[in-house]
């Protein structure tokens, strides 16, 4: 895939994100075309009330896919709402160029007027994310990236915050960690998640990681872009879908960040010598993302090593939840 072709895909995604921005804002503020209850209407996707969908989600996804199908008829398309409307788990994941779209990431935030919510437009080729646009209209933040071409926030290169402002975290205890509780509120998932959060926070004398803080924004895209920006060290979550992070991971990788499979080792019985970091597979619903870490003076590659060391520290403390992967492979 040529750099020019990737750039063209990126520009298409940017234009689409900007095009749906006004509808997103109208929905967020319940005005214009989404000013009445029937136009806004909130639905419940899983029956527990925690995973909602609005008419705005449907409208934006329809708009984006109609445009994309017109421009790239041979491409494939996976969207959160299309998947929810019957094809959930049934879509085939292939090597073909595939647009992976979440029209509103952080729909709960959207419904509650909490500004960490946005549009996510990603493109995968050979199953790897190569183009990503995340637009957070209420915060006025447009994140853009194409593989090998850098990542930008409103045109400024990422990460925004570089040393010497940020020091290299020596251990997990110096990290700000973004996590999400997600919408799966089954007893086993909640107990497991909360146990993982507890171990991350617990003081060292009790075997915990004693992270500096744990933050929950309510959106996978805002979380990953905060890590790309450099204002949080990492993000860990089990259970989100490919559309929640297909776009944002390209942005993070291009911002010098690292992404790994997020399945934890705590209680897994995996022997220590087999505990190796696995690359992220965006269809596998388990993610650990770490921000850019600079090399120490005279030590090329030390930043990458620190990212991996921190990743291992996290995975030792958190436990896996066996979610089935997205799609048919
Ligand atoms: C959700 C949000 C949430 C995360 C879930 C996602 P949605 O996306 O990103 O923070 O915990 O895993 O599904 O459903 O609001 O688009
Ligand atoms: Ca969504």
């Amino acid at each position: 895939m040529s750099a020019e072709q990737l750039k063209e895909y990126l520009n298409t995604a940017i234009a689409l994100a900007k095009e749906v921005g006004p509808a997103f804002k109208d929905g967020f503020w319940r005005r214009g075309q989404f000013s009445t209850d029937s136009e806004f209407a909130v639905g419940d996707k899983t029956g527990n009330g925690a995973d909602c969908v609005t008419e705005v989600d449907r409208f934006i996804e329809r708009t984006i896919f109609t445009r994309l199908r017109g421009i790239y008829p041979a491409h494939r398309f996976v969207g959160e709402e299309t998947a929810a409307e019957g094809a959930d788990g049934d879509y085939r994941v292939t090597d073909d160029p595939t647009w992976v779209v979440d029209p509103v990431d952080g729909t709960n935030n959207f419904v509650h007027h909490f500004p960490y919510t946005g549009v996510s437009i990603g493109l995968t080729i050979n199953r790897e994310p190569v183009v990503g646009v995340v637009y957070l209209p209420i915060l006025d933040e447009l994140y853009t990236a194409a593989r090998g071409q850098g990542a930008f926030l409103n045109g400024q290169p990422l990460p925004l915050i570089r040393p010497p402002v940020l020091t290299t975290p020596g251990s997990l205890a110096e990290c700000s960690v973004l996590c999400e509780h997600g919408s799966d509120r089954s007893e086993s998932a909640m107990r497991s998640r909360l146990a993982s959060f507890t171990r991350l926070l617990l003081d060292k004398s009790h075997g915990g990681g004693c992270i500096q803080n744990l933050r929950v924004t309510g959106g996978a895209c805002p979380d990953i872009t905060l890590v790309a920006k450099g204002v949080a060290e990492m993000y860990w979550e089990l259970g989100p879908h490919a559309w929640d992070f297909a776009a944002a991971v390209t942005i993070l990788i291009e911002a010098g960040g690292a992404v790994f499979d997020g399945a934890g080792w705590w209680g897994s019985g995996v022997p220590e010598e087999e505990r190796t970091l696995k690359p992220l597979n965006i269809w596998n619903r388990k993610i650990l993302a770490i921000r850019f870490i600079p090399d120490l003076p005279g030590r090329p590659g030390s930043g990458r090593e620190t990212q991996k060391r921190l990743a291992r520290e996290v995975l030792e403390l958190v436990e896996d939840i066996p979610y089935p992967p997205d799609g048919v492979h």
Side-chain angles (χ1 to χ4, degrees):
M1 178 66 46
S2 72
E4 286 68 34
Q5 183 64 76
L6 278 185
K7 185 97 191 144
E8 187 217 300
Y9 293 147
L10 174 63
N11 286 338
T12 300
I14 292 172
L16 281 171
K18 286 184 177 167
E19 181 182 333
V20 297
F24 191 104
K25 287 181 188 165
D26 279 356
F28 187 88
W29 298 116
R30 319 285 197 271
R31 67 185 186 200
Q33 63 177 312
F34 299 110
S35 60
T36 68
D37 283 353
S38 64
E39 283 157 345
F40 187 78
V42 182
D44 175 13
K45 287 199 286 200
T46 48
N48 67 6
D51 192 6
C52 54
V53 57
T54 72
E55 282 307 316
V56 190
D57 298 60
R58 296 190 179 112
F59 174 83
I60 293 179
E61 186 163 314
R62 242 184 355 253
T63 305
I64 292 175
F65 280 166
T66 304
R67 288 270 188 282
L68 286 174
R69 282 200 173 95
I71 309 171
Y72 308 118
H75 287 189
R76 301 176 75 90
F77 305 90
V78 175
E80 172 164 20
E81 307 318 330
T82 327
E85 283 161 18
D88 202 2
D90 287 346
Y91 49 86
R92 283 179 47 73
V93 176
T94 73
D95 288 346
D96 298 341
T98 303
W99 292 90
V100 186
V101 170
D102 189 345
V104 179
D105 180 55
T107 306
N108 269 331
N109 287 347
F110 187 83
V111 169
H112 289 272
H113 302 284
F114 191 72
Y116 286 86
T117 173
V119 183
S120 170
I121 305 176
L123 174 71
T124 68
I125 296 179
N126 297 327
R127 300 171 198 231
E128 288 295 325
V130 291
V131 165
V133 171
V134 170
Y135 181 32
L136 309 179
I138 311 306
L139 299 175
D140 195 23
E141 292 188 340
L142 177 70
Y143 293 86
T144 59
R147 212 37 96 86
Q149 300 183 22
F152 300 86
L153 164 55
N154 295 341
Q156 285 192 67
L158 289 170
L160 284 192
I161 299 167
R162 283 177 177 267
V165 180
L166 267 186
T167 51
T168 298
S171 74
L172 207 47
E174 291 166 63
C175 291
S176 182
V177 180
L178 293 156
C179 291
E180 294 293 330
H181 48 64
S183 55
D184 171 7
R185 305 298 166 79
S186 62
E187 195 188 6
S188 60
M190 284 315 298
R191 281 193 195 287
S192 167
R193 247 185 213 110
L194 293 178
S196 293
F197 294 172
T198 301
R199 276 190 298 275
L200 287 173
L201 286 160
L202 201 63
D203 68 57
K204 296 222 168 189
S205 63
H206 292 90
C210 203
I211 56 172
Q212 258 175 357
N213 59 69
L214 184 146
R215 304 268 185 257
V216 178
T217 72
C221 284
D223 285 339
I224 301 170
T225 52
L226 285 166
V227 177
K229 207 186 211 179
V231 298
E233 273 62 51
M234 56 181 79
Y235 157 69
W236 173 72
E237 187 176 358
L238 305 178
H241 296 274
W243 46 81
D244 293 313
F245 49 63
V249 296
T250 302
I251 294 160
L252 178 63
I253 291 168
E254 287 300 312
V259 287
F260 303 100
D261 182 289
W265 298 324
W266 179 275
S268 65
V270 176
E272 226 173 295
E273 60 280 10
E274 285 169 31
R275 295 182 181 183
T276 47
L277 292 172
K278 286 197 245 146
L280 173 77
N281 174 339
I282 63 153
W283 308 97
N284 267 358
R285 307 182 58 194
K286 299 171 186 194
I287 181 168
L288 174 60
I290 318 258
R291 75 160 163 86
F292 164 75
I293 293 179
D295 289 340
L296 294 168
R299 301 246 325 262
S302 57
R304 279 282 166 220
E305 282 314 307
T306 305
Q307 286 175 325
K308 288 183 188 164
R309 180 167 47 74
L310 293 174
R312 276 189 218 100
E313 280 188 55
V314 173
L315 295 179
E316 290 289 356
L317 292 171
V318 298
E319 50 197 82
D320 190 20
I321 300 176
Y323 286 112
D326 283 328
V328 175
H329 294 255

